[in-house]
Amino acid sequence: DTGVSQNPRHKITKRGQNVTFRCDPISEHNRLYWYRQTLGQGPEFLTYFQNEAQLEKSRLLSDRFSAERPKGSFSTLEIQRTEQGDSAMYLCASSHIDVGTYEQYFGPGTRLTVT
Amino acid sequence: AQSVTQPDIHITVSEGASLELRCNYSYGATPYLFWYVQSPGQGLQLLLKYFSGDTLVQGIKGFEAEFKRSQSSFNLRKPSVHWSDAAEYFCAVGAGGNEKLTFGTGTRLTIIP
């Protein structure tokens, strides 16, 4: 069990550019979640997948945001035409719904800075 | 809609002293409740969880929490804190065990010698 990994760990981009983040969940975890955390706040839910199906998206997820989990394993989160307000820590978590432990395991996050 | 309130933004405790971090939730049905800890540069780590059964739950690192339905609270406690407990603590509520989590704004814990 190597844990949830996220890449890159840090990303600095200029306003208007597109960025893509990757999350690799714990092997065989069928649920994958994306959260966003801004300074001084708790994580806020963005979206989650069960296998490759995207089950729910938050209203926080504007049209500029898109997430995929094409083969039910890793996931990508893309932000198009970044804005300064997108600067945040993007957290990924995974869980296994059949095990019954009800625990989401979080990755270290990707810190995005939009200049 | 579910929500979580952590009334204390920052708490300072002497090493060896007891600790209680407050958490109040709002949710219509039986909630799934969690406490996570976040150290600088680290991901969120689950301390403990409650979804049924005994209302006093034990977690890792010597932490415990008590679910009080009448007060809509799930306060985190530790009898004696260590310097390594300094971190940000988040309370969270979910509609189900594997559903999305709603987090509070967190409580930053500082430990003084």
Side-chain angles (χ1 to χ4, degrees), chain A residues 9 31 33 35 37 40-45 48 56 91 95-97 100-104 106-108, chain B residues 32 34 36 38 41-46 49 51 88 90 96-106:
Chain A
R9 294 290 305 275
R31 282 213 174 166
Y33 314 77
Y35 294 85
Q37 184 177 21
Q41 299 297 315
E44 295 175 297
F45 169 77
Y48 82 93
E56 185 175 349
L91 298 168
S95 71
H96 197 306
I97 65 170
T101 58
Y102 307 129
E103 178 171 352
Q104 294 184 23
F106 282 80
Chain B
Y32 287 68
F34 306 82
Y36 281 86
Q38 186 176 41
Q42 303 294 316
L44 290 157
Q45 182 183 20
L46 181 69
K49 61 196 174 194
F51 49 91
E88 188 93 23
F90 293 95
N98 290 291
E99 303 301 317
K100 65 182 180 185
L101 297 178
T102 299
F103 286 84
T105 51

Side-chain angles (χ1 to χ4, degrees), chain A residues 66-83:
Chain A
S66 63
E68 294 183 339
R69 194 182 184 198
K71 297 183 180 179
S73 57
F74 73 91
S75 175
T76 58
L77 178 67
E78 180 183 17
I79 309 175
Q80 296 182 327
R81 306 181 303 281
T82 52
E83 303 173 355

Side-chain angles (χ1 to χ4, degrees), chain B residues 49-100:
Chain B
K49 61 196 174 194
Y50 171 81
F51 49 91
S52 67
D54 192 346
T55 55
L56 183 64
V57 293
Q58 303 297 320
I60 62 171
K61 304 184 180 185
F63 285 93
E64 66 177 27
E66 186 170 12
F67 170 61
K68 292 185 178 180
R69 184 186 298 275
S70 62
Q71 298 178 20
S72 298
S73 70
F74 189 56
N75 294 348
L76 182 71
R77 300 194 293 250
K78 186 169 185 178
S80 176
V81 298
H82 186 262
W83 63 266
S84 60
D85 293 324
E88 188 93 23
Y89 290 80
F90 293 95
C91 182
V93 65
N98 290 291
E99 303 301 317
K100 65 182 180 185

Side-chain angles (χ1 to χ4, degrees), chain A residues 5-62:
Chain A
S5 61
Q6 294 187 245
N7 288 288
R9 294 290 305 275
H10 303 274
K11 179 70 177 179
I12 300 174
T13 190
K14 294 186 177 180
R15 186 167 51 94
Q17 297 295 304
N18 299 344
V19 294
T20 300
F21 309 141
R22 176 177 170 127
C23 171
D24 287 89
I26 293 172
S27 179
E28 298 184 357
H29 275 196
N30 40 27
R31 282 213 174 166
L32 186 149
Y33 314 77
W34 284 100
Y35 294 85
R36 180 172 67 187
Q37 184 177 21
T38 54
L39 203 60
Q41 299 297 315
E44 295 175 297
F45 169 77
L46 293 179
T47 187
Y48 82 93
F49 295 82
Q50 181 162 320
N51 300 314
E52 65 275 8
Q54 189 173 20
L55 296 188
E56 185 175 349
K57 292 194 297 185
S58 164
R59 280 171 290 183
L60 292 175
L61 216 62
S62 76

